[in-house]
Amino acid sequence: MKILRLTLLLAATACASNPPNLNDNLIVPGRRIGVIELGLPLSLLLTAEGQPVRTAPIPNTTATTYTFADGLTVGADEKVYWIITEDERFRTANGVGPGVEQIVARAALGKPRCVETRPEVTVYDYGDVYFESGNVDGRVKRVGVIAHQRPCPQPS
């Protein structure tokens, strides 16, 4: 009888728990931005996002860049392998997202794995997440989540 009650209690508890809400505008380093997850099959990406507003092949690869109306840009071949947002509604759990001050983002994420200064922006790469900060205004322009670490550029 105790085993039956325990089984019923466990079943009731399992039914009462809800699946995670991925529609939360959260940037999760190495995992997802909003509802789009790294590794998501291309067919499910298109089901979740609808038709892209812009599509461009990625040179020297079999992959394509898809830009969607909700502010996400995705790199995918058969599966999603990077996601970028410039939309200020997307944030990490500690508040890093487009529009925040670079100093706030660096304080929240810690020491970057590598830093690359470009003419308009500086890229702060943490391996599974990166952000680009404007060189003039010091604000985060975009945040990206990636499946594989990119090599750090060598100083010239």
Side-chain angles (χ1 to χ4, degrees), residues 47-127:
T47 299
E49 289 291 313
Q51 290 297 313
V53 294
R54 183 170 171 256
T55 300
I58 299 174
N60 304 316
T61 73
T62 60
T64 303
T65 298
Y66 302 97
T67 302
F68 296 97
D70 68 354
L72 294 179
T73 301
V74 175
D77 42 24
E78 297 306 310
K79 295 182 178 185
V80 172
Y81 64 88
W82 56 255
I83 312 161
I84 298 170
T85 185
E86 295 179 4
D87 191 316
E88 292 185 9
R89 70 190 155 116
F90 293 104
R91 295 271 189 266
T92 64
N94 51 3
V96 176
V100 304
E101 294 284 343
Q102 176 261 34
I103 193 168
V104 172
R106 290 198 60 191
L109 295 174
K111 182 179 180 182
R113 192 175 63 84
C114 54
V115 177
E116 178 185 357
T117 302
R118 298 177 183 167
E120 301 292 321
V121 297
T122 299
V123 180
Y124 297 88
D125 187 336
Y126 292 86

